[in-house]
Amino acid sequence: MPDGTNGVVSGTHSLRRGVFVSFAVSCSVVAVVLLLALSLFYQSSVLADVKGMLARECDTVATAIDDGGTAKEEIALLSSIDFGEERATLVAPDGTVLYDSQVDAATLENHADRPEIAEALKDGEGESDRDSDTLGYVSLYHARRLPSGDVVRLGLDRSSVGRIVGQDLFILAIVVGCLVVVAWFVSRVIANRLVRPILEIDPEAEEAKAPYVELEPLVSRLNEQHHDLVERMDQVQSASDMRREFTANVTHELKTPIAAISGASELIRDGIVRPEDIPNFASRIYDDAQRLSALVSDILTLSKLDETERSQDRQLFGSVEPVDLLSVASDVCQRYEQRARDAGVKLKLDGVSTTIKGNARLLDELIGNLVSNAIRYNRRGGSVFVWVLPQDGKPCVRVSDTGIGIPQEDQAKVFERFYRVDKGRSREKGGTGLGLAIVKHAAAFHDATIDLKSELGKGTQITVTFP
């Protein structure tokens, strides 16, 4: 369910919130790390300065008592100097503390093991730094050996990094808090600016544009799905329209022969027809019954072809087996030879034996409907040619005539069900209006292609090419 604020579905993650939190946390962490780094740098810089200062002052003190006086004289000189925060210590060569400016020397333990004292006794000068017993401080020492052999040492305590941070923790918390607030506002602005173009993508647009390069695959996929959806909706609408139109056409086509049969039969039944006219009425009844039978047969064939295309099950028409196209065409021509003679049309077959894998019944329907149309829409004295021959290495059947031809604007529609170029003339010449529709679907059943060429008043040529 969407929430009441931004329409985000419960259980999903918000990109805006994710960007905001990530940026805010990152800025806060960077701020804290930066402050700690600056504290470390500051402390190390301060310690370096203090060490330099202790070295210089230790040199100054050593120079002041460099005359080699006695230990008492050295102690007296050191006692006369105000060292302030610094701690001055005089140590004998054996490590005994002779003087300390801050505590009683007698209370101090031997300093021979102190690193700076040991180094000064050995090399003349030494230094060290170590944590003081007082928590939070580091003690810095610099020592120099005097001509008498004694060692003078200066020391100074400085706050450690932890103590500096601890002392400034309140200030640090205020600074971090201010940075977090700033980061919050900046993150919100950046998140909104990043997310807004994404929210503005219109999934219903014909060609949505990706606001970022990273989103191009997603937007391209959305566009593809949109096109597929529109195409499928068009197909569904087209199929619905086709079903309504087909139902209306079937109803109309069925009514015509039924009405003729019913009318003629009623006249005979009621004795209205003269005895010498009965054979003529019977002939009409027979012709309309044949027309009705052909129409029902074509409708059943088309229904089976539709079901085959939907289910992709070709077994609805029986097994697929090797079929000789020339043999099928020969059977069709023999069957339509008398009709061609009655129409004053010359029917000719030529070609070579060509075998394909297919359904013999459908192939017979395909060629039969092409030949039937070529005869029906021809002119007296015209010709119909049927060829079975390979073209570009592929088997093909071609039926051409010298008939009335098909107007250019109607050529794309003649394979639709019940479509007639000239409805009045078509009804005079008979036919169900489903012949070329059966040709189209029978060709699709065999994965074949259809090529139509026609010129008004000169004739039509239809070529079916098999894979």
Side-chain angles (χ1 to χ4, degrees):
M1 293 292 293
D3 62 29
T5 55
N6 53 14
V8 178
V9 178
S10 178
T12 60
H13 299 286
S14 169
L15 177 61
R16 180 188 284 108
R17 186 178 294 112
V19 172
F20 163 68
V21 171
S22 299
F23 193 78
V25 170
S26 299
C27 290
S28 301
V29 170
V30 168
V32 172
V33 171
L34 183 61
L35 287 174
L36 291 176
L38 288 175
S39 298
L40 289 172
F41 176 76
Y42 171 76
Q43 178 67 2
S44 61
S45 177
V46 169
L47 293 180
D49 290 342
V50 171
K51 287 181 181 180
M53 180 194 67
L54 284 177
R56 291 190 297 272
E57 292 185 0
C58 191
D59 289 342
T60 300
V61 172
T63 301
I65 56 177
D66 201 19
D67 294 336
T70 62
K72 287 184 179 181
E73 293 175 344
E74 292 172 349
I75 292 172
L77 181 59
L78 290 173
S79 299
S80 64
I81 300 174
D82 182 11
F83 290 100
E85 293 181 352
E86 297 177 9
R87 180 179 180 182
T89 307
L90 184 65
V91 182
D94 61 357
T96 302
V97 178
L98 303 175
Y99 170 79
D100 191 277
S101 62
Q102 294 184 356
V103 297
D104 185 3
T107 62
L108 297 176
E109 60 185 9
N110 192 284
H111 278 29
D113 59 344
R114 302 297 171 89
E116 68 280 1
I117 300 298
E119 187 178 354
L121 288 172
K122 179 181 177 183
D123 300 326
E125 190 174 9
E127 66 176 13
S128 69
D129 52 271
R130 55 184 176 271
D131 291 335
S132 174
D133 293 338
T134 306
L135 185 62
Y137 287 92
V138 60
S139 298
L140 308 177
Y141 297 102
H142 193 91
R144 178 180 282 284
R145 188 182 62 203
L146 301 173
S148 63
D150 296 335
V151 174
V152 62
R153 184 190 71 178
L154 294 181
L156 186 63
D157 290 338
R158 279 288 179 260
S159 298
S160 65
V161 175
R163 187 174 183 84
I164 291 175
V165 173
Q167 291 173 343
D168 299 335
L169 187 59
F170 179 71
I171 298 176
L172 182 63
I174 293 176
V175 172
V176 170
C178 293
L179 289 174
V180 169
V181 172
V182 172
W184 187 86
F185 281 108
V186 173
S187 300
R188 192 173 184 84
V189 172
I190 292 177
N192 288 334
R193 192 168 291 180
L194 288 174
V195 174
R196 187 181 298 112
I198 300 176
L199 296 178
E200 291 175 353
I201 297 176
D202 185 5
E204 297 182 1
E206 187 172 348
E207 282 295 336
K209 301 295 183 182
Y212 306 112
V213 174
E214 293 78 6
L215 291 178
E216 284 185 357
L218 174 62
V219 175
S220 297
R221 182 60 181 156
L222 285 175
N223 288 334
E224 291 175 6
Q225 290 179 344
H226 177 73
H227 292 155
D228 291 343
L229 182 60
V230 170
E231 185 177 344
R232 290 180 184 179
M233 290 176 65
D234 290 341
Q235 290 174 354
V236 170
Q237 184 62 42
S238 176
S240 177
D241 294 341
M242 186 180 296
R243 279 194 298 271
R244 285 197 298 268
E245 184 179 354
F246 182 73
T247 302
N249 285 328
V250 166
T251 303
H252 179 74
E253 293 294 336
L254 288 174
K255 279 182 177 180
T256 303
I258 289 174
I261 293 171
S262 177
S265 302
E266 186 178 359
L267 290 174
I268 294 174
R269 184 198 67 184
D270 295 341
I272 299 176
V273 180
R274 293 178 299 179
E276 61 270 23
D277 292 333
I278 289 178
N280 182 35
F281 275 85
S283 177
R284 291 182 186 179
I285 292 172
Y286 176 79
D287 290 342
D288 283 322
Q290 290 297 106
R291 180 181 172 189
L292 189 60
S293 176
L295 178 60
V296 172
S297 176
D298 285 349
I299 291 173
L300 290 175
T301 300
L302 271 177
S303 297
K304 271 191 177 182
L305 285 168
D306 286 340
E307 181 63 26
T308 299
E309 290 180 6
R310 282 194 297 269
S311 64
Q312 298 296 313
D313 181 11
R314 300 192 178 189
Q315 297 301 318
L316 292 174
F317 277 94
S319 61
V320 175
E321 55 189 7
V323 179
D324 185 359
L325 289 175
L326 184 61
S327 176
V328 173
S330 177
D331 292 342
V332 169
C333 289
Q334 289 177 15
R335 193 164 67 245
Y336 283 93
E337 187 174 0
Q338 183 60 46
R339 184 185 297 183
R341 280 199 297 268
D342 294 342
V345 174
K346 184 184 295 184
L347 178 59
K348 183 179 180 182
L349 169 66
D350 197 2
V352 296
S353 179
T354 305
T355 302
I356 68 167
K357 291 195 70 174
N359 181 276
R361 176 194 160 190
L362 277 180
L363 291 171
D364 183 272
E365 292 246 14
L366 186 152
I367 299 174
N369 279 298
L370 290 177
V371 172
S372 175
N373 270 19
I375 294 172
R376 182 178 296 113
Y377 297 105
N378 217 313
R379 55 171 58 91
R380 185 166 290 277
S383 301
V384 174
F385 300 94
V386 181
W387 283 281
V388 178
L389 69 166
Q391 180 174 296
D392 297 329
K394 297 179 180 180
C396 76
V397 175
R398 178 177 297 159
V399 177
S400 62
D401 62 63
T402 58
I404 60 177
I406 304 171
Q408 183 69 36
E409 62 272 14
D410 293 311
Q411 291 181 14
K413 303 175 182 178
V414 293
F415 292 97
E416 296 177 7
R417 303 171 192 197
F418 295 110
Y419 185 83
R420 289 182 169 92
V421 176
D422 185 343
K423 292 180 172 56
R425 184 170 181 178
S426 296
R427 294 193 186 281
E428 290 176 4
K429 291 188 173 291
T432 63
L434 297 175
L436 290 182
I438 292 175
V439 169
K440 173 186 173 182
H441 288 280
F445 180 92
H446 292 90
D447 296 324
T449 59
I450 301 176
D451 178 61
L452 182 148
K453 296 178 181 177
S454 184
E455 190 173 346
L456 199 61
K458 292 187 177 181
T460 302
Q461 174 183 288
I462 297 179
T463 304
V464 181
T465 304
F466 297 87

Coordinates of all heavy atoms in Angstrom, one line a residue, residues 389-417:
L389 N 8.1 -24.4 -59.9 CA 9.5 -24.4 -60.2 C 10.3 -23.7 -59.1 O 9.7 -23.0 -58.3 CB 9.7 -23.6 -61.5 CG 9.5 -22.1 -61.5 CD1 10.1 -21.5 -62.8 CD2 8.0 -21.7 -61.5
P390 N 11.6 -24.1 -59.0 CA 12.4 -23.4 -58.0 C 12.8 -22.0 -58.4 O 13.0 -21.7 -59.6 CB 13.6 -24.3 -57.9 CG 13.7 -25.0 -59.3 CD 12.3 -25.1 -59.8
Q391 N 12.8 -21.2 -57.4 CA 13.2 -19.8 -57.6 C 14.2 -19.4 -56.5 O 13.9 -19.4 -55.3 CB 12.0 -18.9 -57.6 CG 12.3 -17.4 -57.8 CD 11.1 -16.5 -57.9 OE1 10.3 -16.7 -58.8 NE2 10.9 -15.7 -56.9
D392 N 15.4 -19.0 -57.0 CA 16.5 -18.7 -56.0 C 16.8 -19.9 -55.1 O 17.1 -19.7 -53.9 CB 16.2 -17.5 -55.2 CG 16.1 -16.2 -56.1 OD1 16.8 -16.2 -57.1 OD2 15.3 -15.3 -55.7
G393 N 16.6 -21.1 -55.6 CA 16.9 -22.3 -54.8 C 15.8 -22.7 -53.9 O 15.9 -23.6 -53.1
K394 N 14.6 -22.0 -54.0 CA 13.5 -22.3 -53.1 C 12.3 -22.7 -53.9 O 12.0 -22.2 -55.0 CB 13.1 -21.1 -52.3 CG 14.2 -20.6 -51.3 CD 13.8 -19.4 -50.6 CE 14.8 -18.9 -49.6 NZ 14.4 -17.7 -48.9
P395 N 11.5 -23.7 -53.4 CA 10.3 -24.2 -54.2 C 9.3 -23.1 -54.2 O 9.1 -22.4 -53.2 CB 9.9 -25.4 -53.4 CG 11.0 -25.8 -52.5 CD 11.8 -24.5 -52.2
C396 N 8.6 -22.9 -55.3 CA 7.6 -21.9 -55.4 C 6.5 -22.4 -56.4 O 6.7 -23.1 -57.3 CB 8.1 -20.5 -55.7 SG 8.5 -20.3 -57.5
V397 N 5.3 -21.8 -56.1 CA 4.1 -22.0 -57.0 C 3.7 -20.6 -57.4 O 3.5 -19.7 -56.6 CB 3.0 -22.7 -56.2 CG1 1.7 -22.8 -57.1 CG2 3.4 -24.1 -55.8
R398 N 3.5 -20.5 -58.8 CA 3.1 -19.2 -59.3 C 1.8 -19.4 -60.1 O 1.8 -20.2 -61.0 CB 4.2 -18.6 -60.1 CG 3.8 -17.2 -60.8 CD 5.0 -16.6 -61.5 NE 6.1 -16.4 -60.6 CZ 7.4 -16.2 -61.0 NH1 7.7 -16.4 -62.2 NH2 8.3 -16.0 -60.1
V399 N 0.8 -18.6 -59.9 CA -0.4 -18.6 -60.7 C -0.6 -17.2 -61.2 O -0.7 -16.2 -60.5 CB -1.6 -19.0 -59.8 CG1 -2.9 -18.9 -60.7 CG2 -1.4 -20.4 -59.2
S400 N -0.7 -17.1 -62.6 CA -0.9 -15.8 -63.2 C -2.0 -15.9 -64.2 O -2.3 -16.9 -64.7 CB 0.4 -15.3 -63.9 OG 0.7 -16.2 -65.0
D401 N -2.7 -14.7 -64.4 CA -3.8 -14.7 -65.3 C -3.8 -13.4 -66.1 O -3.0 -12.5 -65.9 CB -5.1 -14.8 -64.5 CG -5.3 -13.6 -63.5 OD1 -5.4 -12.5 -64.0 OD2 -5.3 -13.8 -62.3
T402 N -4.6 -13.4 -67.1 CA -4.8 -12.2 -68.0 C -6.1 -11.5 -67.7 O -6.7 -11.0 -68.7 CB -4.6 -12.6 -69.5 OG1 -5.7 -13.6 -69.7 CG2 -3.3 -13.2 -69.7
G403 N -6.5 -11.5 -66.4 CA -7.8 -11.0 -66.1 C -7.9 -9.5 -65.9 O -7.1 -8.7 -66.4
I404 N -8.9 -9.2 -65.0 CA -9.2 -7.8 -64.8 C -8.2 -7.0 -64.0 O -8.2 -5.8 -64.0 CB -10.6 -7.6 -64.2 CG1 -10.7 -8.3 -62.8 CG2 -11.7 -8.2 -65.1 CD1 -12.0 -8.2 -62.1
G405 N -7.4 -7.7 -63.2 CA -6.4 -7.1 -62.3 C -7.0 -6.5 -61.1 O -8.2 -6.5 -60.9
I406 N -6.1 -6.1 -60.2 CA -6.5 -5.5 -58.9 C -6.0 -4.1 -58.7 O -4.8 -3.9 -59.0 CB -6.0 -6.4 -57.7 CG1 -6.4 -7.8 -57.9 CG2 -6.4 -5.8 -56.4 CD1 -5.8 -8.8 -56.9
P407 N -6.8 -3.1 -58.4 CA -6.3 -1.8 -58.2 C -5.2 -1.7 -57.1 O -5.2 -2.5 -56.2 CB -7.5 -1.0 -57.7 CG -8.7 -1.8 -58.2 CD -8.2 -3.2 -58.2
Q408 N -4.3 -0.8 -57.3 CA -3.1 -0.7 -56.4 C -3.6 -0.5 -54.9 O -3.0 -1.1 -54.0 CB -2.2 0.5 -56.8 CG -1.0 0.7 -55.9 CD 0.0 -0.5 -56.2 OE1 0.1 -1.0 -57.3 NE2 0.7 -0.9 -55.1
E409 N -4.6 0.3 -54.7 CA -5.1 0.6 -53.3 C -5.7 -0.6 -52.7 O -5.9 -0.7 -51.5 CB -6.0 1.8 -53.3 CG -7.3 1.6 -54.1 CD -7.2 1.9 -55.5 OE1 -6.0 2.1 -56.0 OE2 -8.2 2.1 -56.2
D410 N -6.1 -1.6 -53.4 CA -6.8 -2.8 -52.9 C -5.9 -4.0 -52.7 O -6.3 -5.0 -52.1 CB -8.0 -3.2 -53.8 CG -9.1 -2.2 -53.8 OD1 -9.5 -1.8 -52.6 OD2 -9.6 -1.8 -54.8
Q411 N -4.7 -3.9 -53.3 CA -3.8 -5.1 -53.3 C -3.4 -5.6 -51.9 O -3.2 -6.8 -51.7 CB -2.5 -4.8 -54.1 CG -2.9 -4.7 -55.6 CD -1.6 -4.4 -56.4 OE1 -0.5 -4.6 -56.0 NE2 -1.8 -4.0 -57.7
A412 N -3.3 -4.6 -50.9 CA -2.9 -5.0 -49.6 C -4.0 -5.6 -48.8 O -3.8 -6.2 -47.7 CB -2.3 -3.8 -48.8
K413 N -5.2 -5.5 -49.3 CA -6.4 -5.9 -48.5 C -7.1 -7.2 -49.1 O -8.0 -7.8 -48.4 CB -7.5 -4.8 -48.5 CG -7.0 -3.5 -48.0 CD -8.0 -2.4 -48.1 CE -7.5 -1.1 -47.6 NZ -8.5 0.0 -47.8
V414 N -6.6 -7.7 -50.3 CA -7.4 -8.8 -50.9 C -7.2 -10.1 -50.1 O -8.0 -11.0 -50.3 CB -6.9 -9.0 -52.3 CG1 -7.2 -7.8 -53.2 CG2 -5.4 -9.3 -52.4
F415 N -6.2 -10.2 -49.2 CA -6.1 -11.4 -48.4 C -6.9 -11.4 -47.1 O -6.8 -12.3 -46.3 CB -4.6 -11.7 -48.1 CG -3.8 -12.0 -49.4 CD1 -3.1 -11.0 -50.0 CD2 -3.8 -13.3 -49.8 CE1 -2.3 -11.4 -51.1 CE2 -3.1 -13.6 -51.0 CZ -2.3 -12.6 -51.6
E416 N -7.6 -10.3 -46.9 CA -8.5 -10.2 -45.7 C -9.8 -11.0 -46.0 O -10.2 -11.1 -47.1 CB -8.8 -8.7 -45.4 CG -7.6 -7.9 -45.0 CD -8.0 -6.5 -44.8 OE1 -9.2 -6.2 -44.7 OE2 -7.0 -5.7 -44.6
R417 N -10.4 -11.4 -44.9 CA -11.6 -12.3 -45.0 C -12.8 -11.4 -45.5 O -13.0 -10.3 -45.0 CB -11.9 -12.9 -43.7 CG -10.8 -13.7 -43.1 CD -11.0 -14.1 -41.7 NE -9.8 -14.7 -41.2 CZ -9.7 -15.4 -40.1 NH1 -10.8 -15.7 -39.4 NH2 -8.5 -15.9 -39.7

